[in-house]
């Protein structure tokens, strides 16, 4: 079965950078849609970025465009989220999410499009 495991969260000052990693295992097909979402306590989970791991096509929400970069390493079955120029508004629990096996991303991408979720990693910007 599909498992997603995030790592790389932490605390950073405003203007700093962090790189989140998502290890994806259990997929049968090599091309899948993997996304990052984030959630602040008391609010719904919100989209951040997504990548079709086969083609490398990426999607970003406007608030992170130009600051965040989603990428993948197909051989390692890893997806990364490089976050630069962080602000306190980026503080949240970040989740890696995977769509159905073999499904490419579409835009807009929504929480309901994803079947598999990691446990989350906390990012705090002060």
């Amino acid at each position: 079965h599909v498992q997603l495991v995030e790592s790389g969260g932490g605390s950073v000052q405003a203007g700093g950078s962090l790189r989140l990693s998502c290890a994806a295992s259990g997929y049968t097909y090599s091309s899948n849609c993997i996304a990052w979402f984030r959630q602040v306590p008391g609010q719904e989970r919100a989209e951040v970025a997504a990548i079709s791991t086969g083609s490398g096509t990426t999607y970003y929400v406007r608030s992170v465009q130009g600051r965040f970069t989603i990428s993948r390493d197909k051989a390692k079955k890893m997806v990364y989220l490089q976050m630069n120029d962080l602000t306190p508004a980026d503080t949240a629990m970040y989740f890696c999410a995977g769509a159905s096996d073999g499904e490419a991303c579409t835009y807009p991408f929504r929480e309901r499009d994803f079947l598999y979720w990691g446990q989350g990693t906390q990012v705090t910007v002060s």
Side-chain angles (χ1 to χ4, degrees):
H1 63 286
V2 175
Q3 283 191 310
L4 302 171
V5 180
E6 305 98 332
S7 61
S11 296
V12 65
Q13 291 190 334
S17 299
L18 281 173
R19 188 176 84 154
L20 306 183
S21 299
C22 174
S25 62
Y27 274 113
T28 300
Y29 294 100
S30 60
S31 181
N32 300 284
C33 180
I34 304 292
W36 288 96
F37 287 75
R38 61 187 180 186
Q39 187 172 28
V40 175
Q43 297 184 18
E44 293 186 355
R45 214 146 32 179
E47 307 86 1
V48 177
I51 186 166
S52 291
T53 59
S55 65
T57 304
T58 59
Y59 304 88
Y60 299 93
V61 297
R62 187 170 297 181
S63 61
V64 306
Q65 213 153 17
R67 299 188 300 124
F68 291 13
T69 302
I70 189 170
S71 63
R72 91 298 194 202
D73 184 321
K74 294 174 69 174
K76 294 182 179 179
K77 299 182 180 180
M78 297 289 294
V79 172
Y80 305 101
L81 185 68
Q82 177 66 43
M83 306 185 294
N84 298 328
D85 195 20
L86 287 160
T87 74
D90 296 313
T91 295
M93 183 73 78
Y94 283 72
F95 295 90
C96 179
S100 296
D101 209 335
E103 185 174 308
C105 296
T106 58
Y107 190 84
F109 55 98
R110 296 285 184 250
E111 183 177 358
R112 64 175 179 266
D113 298 331
F114 295 86
L115 297 179
Y116 309 106
W117 293 85
Q119 80 286 352
T121 185
Q122 179 68 36
V123 171
T124 302
V125 185
S126 59

